[in-house]
C-alpha cells in the first residue's frame, strides 16, 4: 500500500512528480499538513528547489548475496543508497521505504554514501576460505551517479579488485565511468571486468523526462565507444523498455550500440514493484496523458494482469504476446549486427587475498 504526499508536480530536474510513503513496514504515513503549500506560495513565492543531501553510513558488511536464477551473479556491492539520476521507473526506489523515507522524491534527493565500503571489501576478501566470484556494482543504484565525483567509492573498490585480481562487473547510466578508464583498462587486460551501459532511449526529450539527471543518451554512446576502444568488454542494456513510449527504438539503439563498438545487447521490459507503480502512473499522467492507459494495459498484460510479477524466470522477460514479440525483435537485432551473447565472461583464477595490516607475508 502506498500513499501520496502533497508535493507540487512537476519538480524541475527530478523524476518523481510526487512523494510516496509506504505502509508495508508499519511505518507512520507522512502527509502534508493542511494548505501549507498555498500559504508558502503566497508568502514566499515558488517553493524552493529540492536540494540533494548525502548522509554517510557505516554498515558492518558490504557484500550482498543472492540466489536468484534471473541474474548472472551471486554477489553485489551498493556504495550508495538512493540515486540522484531520478529515473522514474527505478525498481530500487522501494528500498528507501526501509529508511522511513519516500521512494519518490526522497529516493533521488536524500542519498546515503558508504565511505567504509572499500575497507569492508578488503576485510571480506581477506577472510580465510573466501571463494572469488564476480562482484556486480550498479545493480541497485548507480555507482557513477554525481555524488561519486565527491566520494570516489567506486574507484576505490576497483583499485582493490585490481590489487587482488578479483573480477568485478559494472552497470551504469553515466559516462562518468570513463573517469576510471585507467583502472578498467588494466582490469580488462586481465579479463577481470566488463561494463554495461543502460540506454533506454535515444530521444533526448524522453530521456530527460524519464531520467532527468542521468547522462544524455549521446554521452552514454560516447562512453561505449571509448570503453570499446580501450578493449574493455562493453555491452548495452535497453532497460527498461517502456511500451508505447520507447519500444519503437529497439532496432535503432541496437544499431547505434553496434556502431559504437558494443559487443552485445540485452533488454528488460518495464516492471513496477511496490511504490514504483503509483509513482510511474503519476509520471505518465503528467508527461504522457494521451497514452497512459495504453502503457499500463501492456505492462499488466506482461505481468499476469498486475503492475509487477516478482516470480523467478519471468520478472526479467514478462509473459504473453508482447514479451514474445520483444524476444523476437531482440534476436533479430543481435543477428543483424553480429552481437555475441550479452553475458560478461571474467576470470576468477587470478585472485590473491589482500595483505591486511599486521598480517605476516607468506613465503610463496
Amino acid at each position: 500500500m502506498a500513499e501520496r504526499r502533497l508535493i507540487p508536480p512537476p519538480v524541475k530536474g527530478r523524476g518523481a512528480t510526487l512523494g510516496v510513503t509506504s505502509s508495508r513496514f508499519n511505518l507512520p504515513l507522512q502527509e502534508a499538513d493542511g494548505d501549507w503549500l498555498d500559504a508558502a506560495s503566497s508568502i514566499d513565492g515558488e517553493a524552493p528547489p529540492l536540494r540533494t543531501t548525502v548522509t554517510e553510513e557505516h554498515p558492518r558488511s558490504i557484500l550482498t548475496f543472492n540466489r536468484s536464477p534471473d541474474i548472472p551473479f551471486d554477489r553485489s556491492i551498493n556504495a550508495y543508497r538512493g540515486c540522484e539520476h531520478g529515473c522514474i521507473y527505478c525498481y530500487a526506489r522501494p528500498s528507501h521505504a526501509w529508511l522511513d523515507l519516500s521512494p519518490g522524491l526522497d529516493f533521488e534527493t536524500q542519498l546515503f554514501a558508504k565511505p567504509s565500503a572499500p575497507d569492508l571489501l578488503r576485510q571480506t576478501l581477506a577472510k580465510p576460505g573466501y571463494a572469488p566470484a564476480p562482484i556486480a556494482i550498479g545493480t541497485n543504484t548507480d555507482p557513477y551517479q554525481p555524488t561519486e565525483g565527491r566520494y570516489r567509492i567506486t574507484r576505490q573498490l576497483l583499485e582493490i579488485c585490481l590489487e587482488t585480481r578479483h573480477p568485478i562487473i559494472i552497470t551504469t547510466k553515466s559516462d562518468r565511468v570513463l573517469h576510471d578508464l585507467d583502472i578498467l583498462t588494466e582490469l580488462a587486460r586481465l579479463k577481470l571486468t566488463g561494463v554495461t551501459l543502460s540506454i533506454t532511449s535515444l530521444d533526448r526529450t524522453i530521456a530527460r523526462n524519464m531520467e532527468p539527471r542521468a547522462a544524455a543518451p549521446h554521452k552514454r554512446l560516447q562512453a561505449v565507444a571509448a570503453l570499446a576502444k580501450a578493449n574493455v568488454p562493453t555491452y548495452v542494456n535497453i532497460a527498461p523498455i517502456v511500451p508505447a513510449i520507447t519500444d519503437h527504438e529497439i532496432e535503432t539503439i541496437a544499431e547505434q550500440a553496434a556502431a559504437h563498438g558494443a559487443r552485445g545487447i540485452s533488454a528488460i521490459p518495464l516492471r513496477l514493484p511496490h511504490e514504483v507503480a503509483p509513482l510511474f502512473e503519476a509520471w505518465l499522467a503528467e508527461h504522457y496523458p494521451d497514452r497512459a492507459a495504453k502503457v499500463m494495459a501492456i505492462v499488466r498484460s506482461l505481468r499476469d494482469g498486475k503492475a509487477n510479477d516478482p516470480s523467478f524466470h519471468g520478472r526479467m522477460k514478462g509473459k504473453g504476446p508482447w514479451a514474445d514479440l520483444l524476444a523476437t525483435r531482440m534476436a533479430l537485432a543481435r543477428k543483424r549486427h553480429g552481437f555475441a551473447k550479452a553475458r560478461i565472461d571474467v576470470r576468477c583464477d587470478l585472485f590473491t587475498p589482500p595483505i591486511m595490516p599486521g598480517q605476516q607475508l607468506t613465503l610463496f
Side-chain angles (χ1 to χ4, degrees):
M1 176 180 175
E3 187 113 352
R4 297 184 181 185
R5 282 189 195 171
L6 185 58
I7 298 286
V11 180
K12 186 176 181 181
R14 298 297 180 179
T17 59
L18 45 81
V20 166
T21 58
S22 173
S23 61
R24 285 189 297 127
F25 309 114
N26 295 316
L27 299 173
L29 294 175
Q30 303 173 39
E31 299 179 4
D33 216 3
D35 57 355
W36 68 271
L37 287 175
D38 292 336
S41 297
S42 64
I43 297 172
D44 301 317
E46 293 186 5
L50 285 174
R51 302 294 184 187
T52 301
T53 63
V54 182
T55 301
E56 294 185 2
E57 65 171 300
H58 300 278
R60 285 186 278 183
S61 61
I62 197 59
L63 279 186
T64 299
F65 291 87
N66 76 86
R67 295 182 179 179
S68 171
D70 297 318
I71 49 181
F73 55 85
D74 70 351
R75 65 200 68 185
S76 61
I77 293 177
N78 289 290
Y80 305 100
R81 291 181 189 262
C83 186
E84 195 174 359
H85 285 165
C87 303
I88 187 58
Y89 49 73
C90 183
Y91 58 80
R93 284 182 176 273
S95 62
H96 249 46
W98 282 99
L99 307 173
D100 197 14
L101 292 171
S102 162
L105 290 165
D106 287 349
F107 177 80
E108 51 194 281
T109 60
Q110 297 189 39
L111 312 181
F112 295 82
K114 305 173 186 177
S116 60
D119 288 339
L120 290 172
L121 176 61
R122 185 180 294 277
Q123 293 169 22
T124 301
L125 300 186
K127 289 181 178 179
Y130 173 81
I135 294 173
I137 59 174
T139 57
N140 201 49
T141 56
D142 202 303
Y144 287 104
Q145 59 180 290
T147 196
E148 168 66 10
R150 170 186 171 189
Y151 281 96
R152 308 304 293 274
I153 298 172
T154 299
R155 183 176 180 85
Q156 294 175 64
L157 296 173
L158 294 179
E159 288 173 339
I160 293 171
C161 286
L162 180 58
E163 172 193 337
T164 60
R165 302 300 194 256
H166 194 291
I168 185 167
I169 54 179
I170 301 167
T171 301
T172 182
K173 281 184 167 66
S174 179
D175 61 336
R176 192 182 297 272
V177 65
L178 297 180
H179 294 184
D180 293 338
L181 187 58
D182 55 336
I183 304 177
L184 292 172
T185 301
E186 284 301 301
L187 286 167
R189 183 180 62 82
L190 296 167
K191 202 175 180 182
L192 292 172
T193 197
V195 178
T196 298
L197 269 294
S198 175
I199 300 178
T200 311
S201 174
L202 297 178
D203 185 309
R204 295 190 66 172
T205 299
I206 294 176
R208 185 166 55 248
N209 288 336
M210 285 203 308
E211 310 156 339
R213 298 200 175 196
H218 72 279
K219 289 188 175 181
R220 295 183 223 179
L221 286 172
Q222 290 171 1
V224 170
L227 289 163
K229 185 177 180 180
N231 294 318
V232 177
T234 309
Y235 300 80
V236 166
N237 190 17
I238 312 172
I241 295 177
V242 184
I245 294 179
T246 67
D247 59 294
H248 65 285
E249 297 189 66
I250 292 173
E251 288 76 14
T252 305
I253 294 175
E255 179 182 5
Q256 288 299 307
H260 286 78
R263 297 189 183 186
I265 57 171
S266 56
I268 302 173
L270 179 67
R271 57 193 183 101
L272 302 171
H274 302 299
E275 295 86 0
V276 184
L279 285 167
F280 186 79
E281 291 187 78
W283 178 87
L284 277 176
E286 178 68 34
H287 295 283
Y288 297 96
D290 60 319
R291 68 191 85 171
K294 179 179 180 180
V295 172
M296 292 308 300
I298 298 175
V299 169
R300 292 189 176 97
S301 75
L302 282 162
R303 308 291 180 187
D304 283 335
K306 298 170 288 187
N308 183 58
D309 178 9
S311 303
F312 285 157
H313 305 293
R315 58 186 179 137
M316 299 297 184
K317 300 176 182 179
K319 304 173 184 176
W322 206 90
D324 294 340
L325 177 60
L326 170 60
T328 299
R329 291 173 65 185
M330 289 297 296
L332 290 172
R334 292 189 184 99
K335 183 177 180 180
R336 182 176 300 117
H337 299 291
F339 283 131
K341 61 181 179 179
R343 187 185 181 101
I344 298 173
D345 291 322
V346 290
R347 295 183 65 175
C348 298
D349 60 321
L350 301 179
F351 174 68
T352 302
I355 302 300
M356 302 300 289
Q359 181 178 347
Q360 184 176 354
L361 296 176
T362 60
L363 293 176
F364 303 100

